[in-house]
Amino acid sequence: MSYVQALKAAGAEVIEENSFGSYQGDWFALVRFNGETGWVWGSYGSCSGCDAFEAEFGFGSEDFCDAHAYAGKDDCPDCIAARADYAKRLAEFGRSYLDGIMTADAVVKQLEGRFEWDDESKEAAEWIRTVTKSGPAP
């Protein structure tokens, strides 16, 4: 999951993660970041118009230069620069989700507001409750 890679690039430890839904669904991650443990939640989509990661990073690998697309070279200065830029943007993207770390209760409460029209939210809430009961890994 590309969102998890972004969270890790931003410095978070991802303890658990899961996604729910079909084309346009939700992803959840239990994280540790800056001494805080809690949940982050985002949405993904089926196209760059509705998927934030895809809109930012596209389908291909952006950590190579144009001349070496999809098969970067370790000694190419342009590939090195492209990798550094990608890593920086990935971390910034991940940090944008880490500003809103929530408790399990807060996430479940928001999901409960969707139960009437979204069956996937029931499954997500149950998963979050289960993970929370078992406790985060040390």
Side-chain angles (χ1 to χ4, degrees), residues 82-98:
R83 263 192 296 281
D85 179 63
Y86 182 83
K88 178 183 174 200
R89 291 187 309 118
L90 188 65
E92 289 171 355
F93 183 83
R95 271 191 294 280
S96 71
Y97 288 93
L98 295 168

Side-chain angles (χ1 to χ4, degrees), residues 9 19 35 45 81 87 121:
S19 59
S121 63

Side-chain angles (χ1 to χ4, degrees), residues 55-134:
E56 178 66 27
F57 297 102
F59 283 116
S61 178
E62 293 193 20
D63 56 348
F64 306 133
C65 73
D66 290 340
H68 301 114
Y70 305 106
K73 300 233 179 200
D74 290 338
D75 60 348
C76 170
D78 290 336
C79 286
I80 293 168
R83 263 192 296 281
D85 179 63
Y86 182 83
K88 178 183 174 200
R89 291 187 309 118
L90 188 65
E92 289 171 355
F93 183 83
R95 271 191 294 280
S96 71
Y97 288 93
L98 295 168
D99 289 339
I101 294 177
M102 298 182 285
T103 66
D105 289 341
V107 175
V108 169
K109 182 175 178 151
Q110 286 186 29
L111 286 168
E112 287 171 347
R114 298 165 49 168
F115 280 5
E116 188 174 309
W117 56 270
D118 180 10
D119 288 337
E120 294 285 335
S121 63
K122 294 174 186 176
E123 184 180 343
E126 185 57 34
W127 177 77
I128 289 167
R129 287 184 192 112
T130 300
V131 169
T132 302
K133 283 180 189 174
S134 65

Side-chain angles (χ1 to χ4, degrees), residues 1-3 17-28 41-54 93 97 114 120:
M1 175 187 288
S2 50
Y3 290 94
E17 57 90 12
N18 206 342
S19 59
F20 299 86
S22 54
Y23 278 31
Q24 296 167 340
D26 297 299
W27 61 265
F28 301 87
W41 173 7
S43 298
Y44 60 90
S46 60
C47 65
S48 58
C50 54
D51 186 293
F53 190 92
E54 189 179 318
F93 183 83
Y97 288 93
R114 298 165 49 168
E120 294 285 335

